[in-house]
Amino acid sequence: MPRIRHTTLTCSPGCTVEATLELFGGKWKALILYHLFEDGVLRFGEFRRRMPNVTQRMLTNQLRELEADGLVSRTVFPEVPPRVEYELTDLGRTLRPVIEALKKWGDEHAHSLQGRKSAD
């Protein structure tokens, strides 16, 4: 199902939060961004090794969406076999404090989160 994009950010007080979450919301996008902050440039196979629970199809879709949103750039090298590398764009790099804040919060509350998961 195609994503519905915001065409204006004047819809409600939380509209910009919703629009921002659309950019890296979901299970894998924030993790993709995190790995790119840590490593700079990654190839598809390197993502798969760092994120073993994501399917190839889901990883491809998430990378395409991040690229379409201007957060990640994709470079294809004319080699056989083709080599494709992903890296953050200037806009993508501006999300670093957001991703770091998510990681910090998760580190600080991991014990509480783990307890909730086992109780469910």
Side-chain angles (χ1 to χ4, degrees):
M1 176 163 59
R3 293 186 301 166
I4 299 171
R5 299 218 175 245
H6 280 70
T7 55
T8 177
L9 298 178
T10 58
C11 51
S12 71
C15 196
T16 54
V17 173
E18 182 182 353
T20 303
L21 286 174
E22 283 178 3
L23 292 177
F24 67 90
K27 189 170 181 178
W28 302 109
K29 287 182 185 179
L31 193 54
I32 290 168
L33 294 171
Y34 173 78
H35 285 300
L36 287 172
F37 287 128
E38 292 293 304
D39 298 305
V41 176
L42 287 172
R43 294 172 66 181
F44 190 86
E46 293 169 318
F47 279 116
R48 292 295 311 270
R49 282 189 286 283
R50 286 169 176 76
M51 302 164 52
N53 294 327
V54 66
T55 65
Q56 181 170 334
R57 181 173 185 240
M58 179 58 76
L59 179 58
T60 299
N61 288 339
Q62 299 289 275
L63 285 165
R64 284 181 183 159
E65 288 180 12
L66 288 167
E67 183 182 8
D69 289 334
L71 301 177
V72 170
S73 67
R74 178 179 183 263
T75 305
V76 180
F77 294 90
E79 303 172 353
V80 177
R83 177 171 50 114
V84 180
E85 293 181 344
Y86 297 90
E87 66 181 312
L88 294 164
T89 62
D90 290 340
L91 179 62
R93 281 189 281 280
T94 66
L95 286 170
R96 184 176 207 123
V98 177
I99 300 299
E100 286 176 345
L102 288 171
K103 181 178 184 326
K104 182 179 182 221
W105 188 91
D107 290 344
E108 291 172 1
H109 299 284
H111 62 282
S112 298
L113 298 173
Q114 190 60 40
R116 284 187 168 269
K117 289 227 181 230
S118 60
D120 289 342

